[in-house]
Amino acid sequence: MVENVAMEFSPALDLVLGALERMRESGAHLPRASRDSLAQLRNQSIAAPVQPTRPTIDKAALLAPIQARVSICTRCPHLATSRTQSVFGVGNPDAELMFIGEAPGADEDARGEPFVGRAGQLLTKIIETMGFARAEVYIANVLKCRPDMPRGSSGNRPPTPEEMQTCLPYLAEQIEIIRPKVLVALGATAVEGLLGTRAPMHAMRGRWHSHHETPLMITYHPSYLLRNQAPSEKRKVWEDMLLVLEELGRPISEKQRRYFT
Ligand code: SF4
């Protein structure tokens, strides 16, 4: 007990010891402190190093200047002029789970937030079915600006390899700061951005990969599930998410396990 107190309050203990010693020398009767007790306390004080308090990392503050750089980025001049705004990422900077998609679509470009269109709503449903609130995880894209489309045409296009390579350093900085326990790549473009490989999704999904030593799960992009409504495909994504929950050590209810059976 004395040892713990000494470790935590070593500077204060020095002050108390000094005061006790001065009182003893001056002949004061109270408080009583023998020479042995004072020596014992002095030894505890000298032996106990002052424990440095571990600084808490303000990840939001570290992300803010990167977001500011992204907001005015013109590394891809054609995208800088065509975008409404860049789409940095959203969610909990201390998240243990981080989802990475492809690029902003029209809805995301308009709102400045990733995964807010139909595919985003499906992703939110998946996240909530996993037992998280959307705000608990972090969501970002490989590309921060919407890939431009020919004038008059709607829809989205995937980023080019050159666009991805230009923008990837921003994502790398985000991952480095957030340091999630698990990454989830949504779709082939995210896989290409993170692993530099293009392979059929059916060969990549459902098993663990690694991104700079962070476990990486690969699964289908929610927009694929919107195009292909087969329950078998939804089940595959859900099986991948169950693996993620196991990796995170999260409890999995019987209802979650049987979601698609
Ligand atoms: S896509 Fe990325 S690198 Fe290109 S302009 Fe946008 S923020 Fe900059």
Side-chain angles (χ1 to χ4, degrees):
M1 177 70 180
V2 171
E3 192 173 324
N4 289 342
V5 171
M7 286 172 68
E8 279 187 45
F9 302 110
S10 184
L13 193 56
D14 282 342
L15 288 174
V16 173
L17 277 166
L20 284 171
E21 282 168 351
R22 280 194 298 280
M23 290 170 80
R24 181 176 179 82
E25 296 311 318
S26 69
H29 292 293
L30 287 173
R32 300 184 64 150
S34 71
R35 283 198 178 83
D36 285 349
S37 302
L38 286 172
Q40 203 179 345
L41 275 171
R42 173 66 68 198
N43 289 340
Q44 292 281 1
S45 173
I46 291 167
V50 177
Q51 297 294 305
T53 50
R54 184 180 294 179
T56 49
I57 301 170
D58 186 347
K59 295 183 179 180
L62 294 175
L63 289 170
I66 306 169
Q67 182 165 10
R69 277 190 276 130
V70 167
S71 71
I72 55 169
C73 180
T74 55
R75 286 185 199 166
C76 314
H78 58 299
L79 300 186
T81 51
S82 65
R83 73 188 175 207
T84 304
Q85 58 195 315
S86 60
V87 180
F88 182 64
V90 70
N92 177 8
D94 295 305
E96 58 180 24
L97 178 56
M98 181 169 177
F99 290 88
I100 296 168
E102 180 176 299
D107 294 322
E108 290 75 19
D109 175 70
R111 294 260 303 269
E113 182 174 330
F115 284 94
V116 291
R118 284 183 66 223
Q121 287 161 21
L122 181 52
L123 176 64
T124 301
K125 193 173 171 201
I126 292 169
I127 290 167
E128 290 173 350
T129 309
M130 292 173 77
F132 291 97
R134 179 175 157 109
E136 274 183 273
V137 305
Y138 197 90
I139 307 170
N141 283 314
V142 168
L143 207 73
K144 307 304 185 200
C145 299
R146 184 184 182 212
D148 55 347
M149 296 293 289
R151 188 179 294 274
S153 60
S154 59
N156 301 311
R157 68 161 174 87
T160 65
E162 189 186 359
E163 289 167 345
M164 277 201 283
Q165 283 310 311
T166 308
C167 200
L168 269 171
Y170 291 130
L171 179 64
E173 286 186 85
Q174 285 175 296
I175 295 172
E176 180 61 28
I177 290 169
I178 295 166
R179 287 184 178 263
K181 286 185 188 163
V182 170
L183 286 164
V184 176
L186 301 164
T189 304
V191 174
E192 189 177 353
L194 289 171
L195 297 182
T197 28
R198 262 222 173 262
M201 283 297 290
H202 66 80
M204 302 287 279
R205 62 149 289 270
R207 59 189 175 87
W208 287 105
H209 304 258
S210 176
H211 179 267
H212 298 296
E213 298 180 3
T214 301
L216 168 67
M217 177 55 64
I218 292 172
T219 198
Y220 292 114
H221 193 284
S223 61
Y224 169 80
L225 297 181
L226 293 175
R227 290 194 305 273
N228 187 341
Q229 297 277 341
S232 61
E233 301 310 286
K234 289 181 186 164
R235 185 181 305 129
K236 286 175 190 166
V237 171
W238 185 240
E239 285 168 356
D240 298 342
M241 295 306 101
L242 289 179
L243 291 174
V244 168
L245 289 175
E246 281 173 6
E247 179 70 21
L248 291 171
R250 303 272 295 200
I252 302 175
S253 69
E254 204 52 34
K255 186 180 172 193
Q256 284 173 312
R257 284 213 183 273
R258 296 174 176 276
Y259 206 74
F260 280 100
T261 58

mmCIF file of all heavy atoms in Angstrom, residues 55-100:
data_model
loop_
_atom_site.group_PDB
_atom_site.id
_atom_site.type_symbol
_atom_site.label_atom_id
_atom_site.label_comp_id
_atom_site.label_asym_id
_atom_site.label_seq_id
_atom_site.Cartn_x
_atom_site.Cartn_y
_atom_site.Cartn_z
ATOM 1 N N PRO A 55 -0.128 9.097 -22.691
ATOM 2 C CA PRO A 55 -0.932 10.118 -23.351
ATOM 3 C C PRO A 55 -2.032 9.471 -24.198
ATOM 4 O O PRO A 55 -1.792 8.464 -24.850
ATOM 5 C CB PRO A 55 0.077 10.851 -24.250
ATOM 6 C CG PRO A 55 1.181 9.868 -24.461
ATOM 7 C CD PRO A 55 1.212 8.978 -23.263
ATOM 8 N N THR A 56 -3.236 10.019 -24.129
ATOM 9 C CA THR A 56 -4.301 9.513 -24.989
ATOM 10 C C THR A 56 -4.168 10.199 -26.347
ATOM 11 O O THR A 56 -3.908 11.404 -26.413
ATOM 12 C CB THR A 56 -5.677 9.818 -24.393
ATOM 13 O OG1 THR A 56 -5.706 11.179 -24.031
ATOM 14 C CG2 THR A 56 -5.964 8.951 -23.186
ATOM 15 N N ILE A 57 -4.317 9.404 -27.392
ATOM 16 C CA ILE A 57 -4.147 9.944 -28.739
ATOM 17 C C ILE A 57 -5.494 10.468 -29.219
ATOM 18 O O ILE A 57 -6.473 9.724 -29.245
ATOM 19 C CB ILE A 57 -3.612 8.869 -29.697
ATOM 20 C CG1 ILE A 57 -2.272 8.345 -29.188
ATOM 21 C CG2 ILE A 57 -3.468 9.417 -31.107
ATOM 22 C CD1 ILE A 57 -1.776 7.127 -29.931
ATOM 23 N N ASP A 58 -5.533 11.728 -29.590
ATOM 24 C CA ASP A 58 -6.753 12.324 -30.128
ATOM 25 C C ASP A 58 -6.747 12.080 -31.641
ATOM 26 O O ASP A 58 -6.225 12.883 -32.417
ATOM 27 C CB ASP A 58 -6.784 13.823 -29.801
ATOM 28 C CG ASP A 58 -8.106 14.453 -30.209
ATOM 29 O OD1 ASP A 58 -8.878 13.801 -30.947
ATOM 30 O OD2 ASP A 58 -8.357 15.597 -29.792
ATOM 31 N N LYS A 59 -7.328 10.944 -32.029
ATOM 32 C CA LYS A 59 -7.279 10.561 -33.437
ATOM 33 C C LYS A 59 -8.087 11.512 -34.323
ATOM 34 O O LYS A 59 -7.721 11.744 -35.470
ATOM 35 C CB LYS A 59 -7.762 9.114 -33.600
ATOM 36 C CG LYS A 59 -6.844 8.108 -32.928
ATOM 37 C CD LYS A 59 -7.312 6.687 -33.166
ATOM 38 C CE LYS A 59 -6.367 5.692 -32.497
ATOM 39 N NZ LYS A 59 -6.805 4.299 -32.719
ATOM 40 N N ALA A 60 -9.174 12.039 -33.777
ATOM 41 C CA ALA A 60 -9.969 12.992 -34.557
ATOM 42 C C ALA A 60 -9.126 14.214 -34.912
ATOM 43 O O ALA A 60 -9.182 14.726 -36.036
ATOM 44 C CB ALA A 60 -11.210 13.411 -33.772
ATOM 45 N N ALA A 61 -8.314 14.650 -33.953
ATOM 46 C CA ALA A 61 -7.459 15.822 -34.199
ATOM 47 C C ALA A 61 -6.374 15.495 -35.231
ATOM 48 O O ALA A 61 -5.939 16.376 -35.979
ATOM 49 C CB ALA A 61 -6.827 16.287 -32.889
ATOM 50 N N LEU A 62 -5.926 14.241 -35.255
ATOM 51 C CA LEU A 62 -4.918 13.851 -36.243
ATOM 52 C C LEU A 62 -5.526 13.723 -37.640
ATOM 53 O O LEU A 62 -4.859 13.987 -38.648
ATOM 54 C CB LEU A 62 -4.276 12.513 -35.835
ATOM 55 C CG LEU A 62 -3.435 12.529 -34.559
ATOM 56 C CD1 LEU A 62 -2.957 11.126 -34.216
ATOM 57 C CD2 LEU A 62 -2.239 13.458 -34.710
ATOM 58 N N LEU A 63 -6.790 13.307 -37.689
ATOM 59 C CA LEU A 63 -7.443 13.151 -38.993
ATOM 60 C C LEU A 63 -7.841 14.494 -39.606
ATOM 61 O O LEU A 63 -7.876 14.634 -40.837
ATOM 62 C CB LEU A 63 -8.696 12.267 -38.853
ATOM 63 C CG LEU A 63 -8.458 10.772 -38.594
ATOM 64 C CD1 LEU A 63 -9.769 10.085 -38.231
ATOM 65 C CD2 LEU A 63 -7.818 10.099 -39.805
ATOM 66 N N ALA A 64 -8.136 15.461 -38.757
ATOM 67 C CA ALA A 64 -8.679 16.746 -39.246
ATOM 68 C C ALA A 64 -7.786 17.412 -40.298
ATOM 69 O O ALA A 64 -8.292 17.843 -41.348
ATOM 70 C CB ALA A 64 -8.946 17.681 -38.074
ATOM 71 N N PRO A 65 -6.457 17.519 -40.075
ATOM 72 C CA PRO A 65 -5.654 18.186 -41.110
ATOM 73 C C PRO A 65 -5.575 17.406 -42.418
ATOM 74 O O PRO A 65 -5.436 18.008 -43.487
ATOM 75 C CB PRO A 65 -4.261 18.314 -40.464
ATOM 76 C CG PRO A 65 -4.259 17.409 -39.283
ATOM 77 C CD PRO A 65 -5.672 17.210 -38.868
ATOM 78 N N ILE A 66 -5.707 16.085 -42.335
ATOM 79 C CA ILE A 66 -5.714 15.294 -43.575
ATOM 80 C C ILE A 66 -7.005 15.580 -44.338
ATOM 81 O O ILE A 66 -7.004 15.774 -45.550
ATOM 82 C CB ILE A 66 -5.596 13.787 -43.268
ATOM 83 C CG1 ILE A 66 -4.380 13.518 -42.390
ATOM 84 C CG2 ILE A 66 -5.495 12.972 -44.557
ATOM 85 C CD1 ILE A 66 -4.334 12.116 -41.819
ATOM 86 N N GLN A 67 -8.104 15.630 -43.587
ATOM 87 C CA GLN A 67 -9.384 15.948 -44.223
ATOM 88 C C GLN A 67 -9.333 17.340 -44.872
ATOM 89 O O GLN A 67 -9.870 17.543 -45.964
ATOM 90 C CB GLN A 67 -10.516 15.885 -43.190
ATOM 91 C CG GLN A 67 -11.887 16.162 -43.789
ATOM 92 C CD GLN A 67 -13.022 15.752 -42.890
ATOM 93 O OE1 GLN A 67 -12.815 15.419 -41.723
ATOM 94 N NE2 GLN A 67 -14.226 15.781 -43.413
ATOM 95 N N ALA A 68 -8.660 18.245 -44.197
ATOM 96 C CA ALA A 68 -8.539 19.608 -44.757
ATOM 97 C C ALA A 68 -7.751 19.572 -46.066
ATOM 98 O O ALA A 68 -8.101 20.260 -47.035
ATOM 99 C CB ALA A 68 -7.863 20.524 -43.744
ATOM 100 N N ARG A 69 -6.697 18.764 -46.108
ATOM 101 C CA ARG A 69 -5.909 18.654 -47.350
ATOM 102 C C ARG A 69 -6.739 18.026 -48.469
ATOM 103 O O ARG A 69 -6.686 18.466 -49.614
ATOM 104 C CB ARG A 69 -4.656 17.807 -47.097
ATOM 105 C CG ARG A 69 -3.501 18.592 -46.489
ATOM 106 C CD ARG A 69 -2.240 17.766 -46.492
ATOM 107 N NE ARG A 69 -2.167 16.881 -45.363
ATOM 108 C CZ ARG A 69 -1.895 15.583 -45.428
ATOM 109 N NH1 ARG A 69 -1.665 15.002 -46.588
ATOM 110 N NH2 ARG A 69 -1.840 14.846 -44.344
ATOM 111 N N VAL A 70 -7.513 16.993 -48.098
ATOM 112 C CA VAL A 70 -8.344 16.322 -49.104
ATOM 113 C C VAL A 70 -9.393 17.282 -49.661
ATOM 114 O O VAL A 70 -9.701 17.259 -50.851
ATOM 115 C CB VAL A 70 -9.010 15.063 -48.481
ATOM 116 C CG1 VAL A 70 -10.123 14.530 -49.376
ATOM 117 C CG2 VAL A 70 -7.965 13.975 -48.243
ATOM 118 N N SER A 71 -9.914 18.139 -48.800
ATOM 119 C CA SER A 71 -11.003 19.026 -49.236
ATOM 120 C C SER A 71 -10.566 20.012 -50.326
ATOM 121 O O SER A 71 -11.389 20.510 -51.085
ATOM 122 C CB SER A 71 -11.573 19.788 -48.033
ATOM 123 O OG SER A 71 -10.633 20.745 -47.586
ATOM 124 N N ILE A 72 -9.245 20.269 -50.385
ATOM 125 C CA ILE A 72 -8.777 21.221 -51.420
ATOM 126 C C ILE A 72 -7.816 20.542 -52.397
ATOM 127 O O ILE A 72 -7.123 21.210 -53.163
ATOM 128 C CB ILE A 72 -8.086 22.450 -50.773
ATOM 129 C CG1 ILE A 72 -6.943 21.998 -49.848
ATOM 130 C CG2 ILE A 72 -9.085 23.316 -50.031
ATOM 131 C CD1 ILE A 72 -6.049 23.140 -49.377
ATOM 132 N N CYS A 73 -7.795 19.208 -52.366
ATOM 133 C CA CYS A 73 -6.835 18.472 -53.192
ATOM 134 C C CYS A 73 -7.153 18.634 -54.688
ATOM 135 O O CYS A 73 -8.313 18.535 -55.100
ATOM 136 C CB CYS A 73 -6.863 16.994 -52.813
ATOM 137 S SG CYS A 73 -5.711 16.016 -53.790
ATOM 138 N N THR A 74 -6.106 18.860 -55.459
ATOM 139 C CA THR A 74 -6.275 18.965 -56.917
ATOM 140 C C THR A 74 -5.298 18.031 -57.632
ATOM 141 O O THR A 74 -4.921 18.290 -58.766
ATOM 142 C CB THR A 74 -6.048 20.425 -57.391
ATOM 143 O OG1 THR A 74 -4.751 20.850 -56.935
ATOM 144 C CG2 THR A 74 -7.104 21.358 -56.852
ATOM 145 N N ARG A 75 -4.877 16.954 -56.938
ATOM 146 C CA ARG A 75 -3.918 16.038 -57.570
ATOM 147 C C ARG A 75 -4.502 15.407 -58.836
ATOM 148 O O ARG A 75 -3.768 15.029 -59.734
ATOM 149 C CB ARG A 75 -3.529 14.932 -56.587
ATOM 150 C CG ARG A 75 -2.596 15.397 -55.487
ATOM 151 C CD ARG A 75 -2.184 14.193 -54.645
ATOM 152 N NE ARG A 75 -1.685 14.586 -53.357
ATOM 153 C CZ ARG A 75 -1.516 13.757 -52.336
ATOM 154 N NH1 ARG A 75 -1.843 12.478 -52.462
ATOM 155 N NH2 ARG A 75 -1.033 14.173 -51.202
ATOM 156 N N CYS A 76 -5.811 15.219 -58.857
ATOM 157 C CA CYS A 76 -6.480 14.769 -60.092
ATOM 158 C C CYS A 76 -7.272 15.978 -60.588
ATOM 159 O O CYS A 76 -8.420 16.180 -60.158
ATOM 160 C CB CYS A 76 -7.434 13.617 -59.835
ATOM 161 S SG CYS A 76 -6.765 12.312 -58.790
ATOM 162 N N PRO A 77 -6.691 16.770 -61.465
ATOM 163 C CA PRO A 77 -7.362 18.031 -61.839
ATOM 164 C C PRO A 77 -8.768 17.817 -62.393
ATOM 165 O O PRO A 77 -9.680 18.604 -62.124
ATOM 166 C CB PRO A 77 -6.424 18.621 -62.897
ATOM 167 C CG PRO A 77 -5.098 17.983 -62.633
ATOM 168 C CD PRO A 77 -5.391 16.611 -62.116
ATOM 169 N N HIS A 78 -8.944 16.715 -63.173
ATOM 170 C CA HIS A 78 -10.259 16.488 -63.776
ATOM 171 C C HIS A 78 -11.315 16.181 -62.704
ATOM 172 O O HIS A 78 -12.476 16.574 -62.853
ATOM 173 C CB HIS A 78 -10.180 15.339 -64.798
ATOM 174 C CG HIS A 78 -9.705 14.038 -64.232
ATOM 175 N ND1 HIS A 78 -8.466 13.877 -63.664
ATOM 176 C CD2 HIS A 78 -10.322 12.826 -64.125
ATOM 177 C CE1 HIS A 78 -8.323 12.622 -63.253
ATOM 178 N NE2 HIS A 78 -9.434 11.973 -63.511
ATOM 179 N N LEU A 79 -10.911 15.508 -61.618
ATOM 180 C CA LEU A 79 -11.877 15.197 -60.554
ATOM 181 C C LEU A 79 -12.095 16.401 -59.640
ATOM 182 O O LEU A 79 -13.195 16.610 -59.119
ATOM 183 C CB LEU A 79 -11.400 13.994 -59.735
ATOM 184 C CG LEU A 79 -11.202 12.691 -60.508
ATOM 185 C CD1 LEU A 79 -10.862 11.552 -59.563
ATOM 186 C CD2 LEU A 79 -12.426 12.357 -61.344
ATOM 187 N N ALA A 80 -11.046 17.177 -59.464
ATOM 188 C CA ALA A 80 -11.173 18.372 -58.614
ATOM 189 C C ALA A 80 -12.164 19.365 -59.211
ATOM 190 O O ALA A 80 -12.848 20.092 -58.488
ATOM 191 C CB ALA A 80 -9.806 19.021 -58.430
ATOM 192 N N THR A 81 -12.243 19.380 -60.553
ATOM 193 C CA THR A 81 -13.182 20.321 -61.175
ATOM 194 C C THR A 81 -14.586 19.731 -61.307
ATOM 195 O O THR A 81 -15.566 20.470 -61.294
ATOM 196 C CB THR A 81 -12.686 20.752 -62.575
ATOM 197 O OG1 THR A 81 -12.379 19.588 -63.332
ATOM 198 C CG2 THR A 81 -11.453 21.632 -62.482
ATOM 199 N N SER A 82 -14.679 18.397 -61.409
ATOM 200 C CA SER A 82 -16.006 17.796 -61.613
ATOM 201 C C SER A 82 -16.740 17.515 -60.303
ATOM 202 O O SER A 82 -17.962 17.441 -60.277
ATOM 203 C CB SER A 82 -15.881 16.490 -62.409
ATOM 204 O OG SER A 82 -15.169 15.517 -61.659
ATOM 205 N N ARG A 83 -16.012 17.354 -59.197
ATOM 206 C CA ARG A 83 -16.664 16.975 -57.938
ATOM 207 C C ARG A 83 -17.471 18.139 -57.359
ATOM 208 O O ARG A 83 -17.144 19.311 -57.606
ATOM 209 C CB ARG A 83 -15.605 16.553 -56.913
ATOM 210 C CG ARG A 83 -14.810 17.737 -56.364
ATOM 211 C CD ARG A 83 -13.637 17.336 -55.486
ATOM 212 N NE ARG A 83 -12.872 18.508 -55.096
ATOM 213 C CZ ARG A 83 -11.576 18.485 -54.794
ATOM 214 N NH1 ARG A 83 -10.883 17.364 -54.863
ATOM 215 N NH2 ARG A 83 -10.963 19.599 -54.441
ATOM 216 N N THR A 84 -18.497 17.774 -56.592
ATOM 217 C CA THR A 84 -19.172 18.790 -55.779
ATOM 218 C C THR A 84 -18.317 19.077 -54.553
ATOM 219 O O THR A 84 -18.131 20.226 -54.153
ATOM 220 C CB THR A 84 -20.566 18.278 -55.338
ATOM 221 O OG1 THR A 84 -21.301 17.933 -56.502
ATOM 222 C CG2 THR A 84 -21.310 19.324 -54.541
ATOM 223 N N GLN A 85 -17.815 17.991 -53.987
ATOM 224 C CA GLN A 85 -16.935 18.084 -52.816
ATOM 225 C C GLN A 85 -16.218 16.748 -52.677
ATOM 226 O O GLN A 85 -16.676 15.729 -53.215
ATOM 227 C CB GLN A 85 -17.739 18.379 -51.553
ATOM 228 C CG GLN A 85 -18.807 17.331 -51.255
ATOM 229 C CD GLN A 85 -19.829 17.779 -50.244
ATOM 230 O OE1 GLN A 85 -19.479 18.350 -49.221
ATOM 231 N NE2 GLN A 85 -21.097 17.556 -50.542
ATOM 232 N N SER A 86 -15.136 16.738 -51.979
ATOM 233 C CA SER A 86 -14.465 15.470 -51.707
ATOM 234 C C SER A 86 -15.207 14.768 -50.565
ATOM 235 O O SER A 86 -15.940 15.393 -49.799
ATOM 236 C CB SER A 86 -13.000 15.695 -51.350
ATOM 237 O OG SER A 86 -12.915 16.506 -50.203
ATOM 238 N N VAL A 87 -14.992 13.459 -50.474
ATOM 239 C CA VAL A 87 -15.673 12.645 -49.449
ATOM 240 C C VAL A 87 -14.585 11.917 -48.668
ATOM 241 O O VAL A 87 -14.032 10.921 -49.122
ATOM 242 C CB VAL A 87 -16.650 11.656 -50.123
ATOM 243 C CG1 VAL A 87 -17.346 10.814 -49.068
ATOM 244 C CG2 VAL A 87 -17.664 12.403 -50.975
ATOM 245 N N PHE A 88 -14.299 12.430 -47.490
ATOM 246 C CA PHE A 88 -13.128 11.960 -46.740
ATOM 247 C C PHE A 88 -13.371 10.616 -46.063
ATOM 248 O O PHE A 88 -12.645 9.644 -46.252
ATOM 249 C CB PHE A 88 -12.766 13.018 -45.692
ATOM 250 C CG PHE A 88 -11.550 12.674 -44.892
ATOM 251 C CD1 PHE A 88 -10.300 12.564 -45.494
ATOM 252 C CD2 PHE A 88 -11.642 12.448 -43.527
ATOM 253 C CE1 PHE A 88 -9.167 12.254 -44.754
ATOM 254 C CE2 PHE A 88 -10.513 12.136 -42.776
ATOM 255 C CZ PHE A 88 -9.283 12.037 -43.397
ATOM 256 N N GLY A 89 -14.386 10.546 -45.246
ATOM 257 C CA GLY A 89 -14.678 9.333 -44.462
ATOM 258 C C GLY A 89 -15.570 9.748 -43.311
ATOM 259 O O GLY A 89 -15.722 10.941 -43.024
ATOM 260 N N VAL A 90 -16.152 8.764 -42.649
ATOM 261 C CA VAL A 90 -17.080 9.088 -41.569
ATOM 262 C C VAL A 90 -17.020 8.001 -40.513
ATOM 263 O O VAL A 90 -16.718 6.849 -40.810
ATOM 264 C CB VAL A 90 -18.532 9.230 -42.120
ATOM 265 C CG1 VAL A 90 -19.104 7.879 -42.544
ATOM 266 C CG2 VAL A 90 -19.456 9.900 -41.124
ATOM 267 N N GLY A 91 -17.282 8.390 -39.280
ATOM 268 C CA GLY A 91 -17.376 7.388 -38.221
ATOM 269 C C GLY A 91 -16.469 7.678 -37.057
ATOM 270 O O GLY A 91 -15.996 8.808 -36.861
ATOM 271 N N ASN A 92 -16.230 6.625 -36.312
ATOM 272 C CA ASN A 92 -15.488 6.715 -35.060
ATOM 273 C C ASN A 92 -13.983 6.616 -35.315
ATOM 274 O O ASN A 92 -13.507 5.574 -35.774
ATOM 275 C CB ASN A 92 -15.957 5.561 -34.158
ATOM 276 C CG ASN A 92 -15.217 5.505 -32.855
ATOM 277 O OD1 ASN A 92 -14.442 6.403 -32.524
ATOM 278 N ND2 ASN A 92 -15.436 4.441 -32.112
ATOM 279 N N PRO A 93 -13.212 7.655 -35.016
ATOM 280 C CA PRO A 93 -11.764 7.580 -35.251
ATOM 281 C C PRO A 93 -11.085 6.486 -34.419
ATOM 282 O O PRO A 93 -9.980 6.066 -34.743
ATOM 283 C CB PRO A 93 -11.260 8.964 -34.839
ATOM 284 C CG PRO A 93 -12.456 9.840 -34.830
ATOM 285 C CD PRO A 93 -13.617 8.974 -34.497
ATOM 286 N N ASP A 94 -11.750 6.061 -33.343
ATOM 287 C CA ASP A 94 -11.193 4.979 -32.509
ATOM 288 C C ASP A 94 -11.809 3.626 -32.848
ATOM 289 O O ASP A 94 -11.720 2.690 -32.042
ATOM 290 C CB ASP A 94 -11.445 5.290 -31.023
ATOM 291 C CG ASP A 94 -10.701 6.534 -30.579
ATOM 292 O OD1 ASP A 94 -9.480 6.569 -30.756
ATOM 293 O OD2 ASP A 94 -11.352 7.469 -30.074
ATOM 294 N N ALA A 95 -12.401 3.528 -34.016
ATOM 295 C CA ALA A 95 -13.127 2.302 -34.373
ATOM 296 C C ALA A 95 -12.205 1.094 -34.402
ATOM 297 O O ALA A 95 -11.046 1.185 -34.802
ATOM 298 C CB ALA A 95 -13.791 2.476 -35.734
ATOM 299 N N GLU A 96 -12.764 -0.051 -33.993
ATOM 300 C CA GLU A 96 -12.006 -1.298 -34.136
ATOM 301 C C GLU A 96 -12.300 -1.959 -35.482
ATOM 302 O O GLU A 96 -11.603 -2.865 -35.903
ATOM 303 C CB GLU A 96 -12.318 -2.256 -32.990
ATOM 304 C CG GLU A 96 -13.777 -2.647 -32.826
ATOM 305 C CD GLU A 96 -13.984 -3.601 -31.650
ATOM 306 O OE1 GLU A 96 -13.132 -3.588 -30.735
ATOM 307 O OE2 GLU A 96 -14.979 -4.341 -31.653
ATOM 308 N N LEU A 97 -13.319 -1.452 -36.157
ATOM 309 C CA LEU A 97 -13.721 -2.010 -37.451
ATOM 310 C C LEU A 97 -13.824 -0.895 -38.482
ATOM 311 O O LEU A 97 -14.481 0.112 -38.251
ATOM 312 C CB LEU A 97 -15.079 -2.722 -37.286
ATOM 313 C CG LEU A 97 -15.712 -3.336 -38.522
ATOM 314 C CD1 LEU A 97 -14.779 -4.342 -39.200
ATOM 315 C CD2 LEU A 97 -17.027 -4.013 -38.138
ATOM 316 N N MET A 98 -13.155 -1.103 -39.628
ATOM 317 C CA MET A 98 -13.146 -0.065 -40.668
ATOM 318 C C MET A 98 -13.532 -0.696 -42.007
ATOM 319 O O MET A 98 -12.933 -1.697 -42.418
ATOM 320 C CB MET A 98 -11.747 0.559 -40.752
ATOM 321 C CG MET A 98 -11.604 1.665 -41.781
ATOM 322 S SD MET A 98 -10.014 2.521 -41.563
ATOM 323 C CE MET A 98 -10.074 3.680 -42.935
ATOM 324 N N PHE A 99 -14.534 -0.114 -42.643
ATOM 325 C CA PHE A 99 -14.983 -0.569 -43.963
ATOM 326 C C PHE A 99 -14.389 0.343 -45.033
ATOM 327 O O PHE A 99 -14.366 1.574 -44.864
ATOM 328 C CB PHE A 99 -16.509 -0.510 -44.059
ATOM 329 C CG PHE A 99 -17.210 -1.531 -43.211
ATOM 330 C CD1 PHE A 99 -17.538 -1.258 -41.888
ATOM 331 C CD2 PHE A 99 -17.539 -2.774 -43.735
ATOM 332 C CE1 PHE A 99 -18.182 -2.203 -41.104
ATOM 333 C CE2 PHE A 99 -18.193 -3.726 -42.960
ATOM 334 C CZ PHE A 99 -18.511 -3.438 -41.637
ATOM 335 N N ILE A 100 -13.945 -0.276 -46.119
ATOM 336 C CA ILE A 100 -13.368 0.511 -47.210
ATOM 337 C C ILE A 100 -14.052 0.140 -48.514
ATOM 338 O O ILE A 100 -14.090 -1.043 -48.899
ATOM 339 C CB ILE A 100 -11.850 0.283 -47.297
ATOM 340 C CG1 ILE A 100 -11.210 0.801 -46.007
ATOM 341 C CG2 ILE A 100 -11.271 0.999 -48.508
ATOM 342 C CD1 ILE A 100 -9.795 0.397 -45.824
#
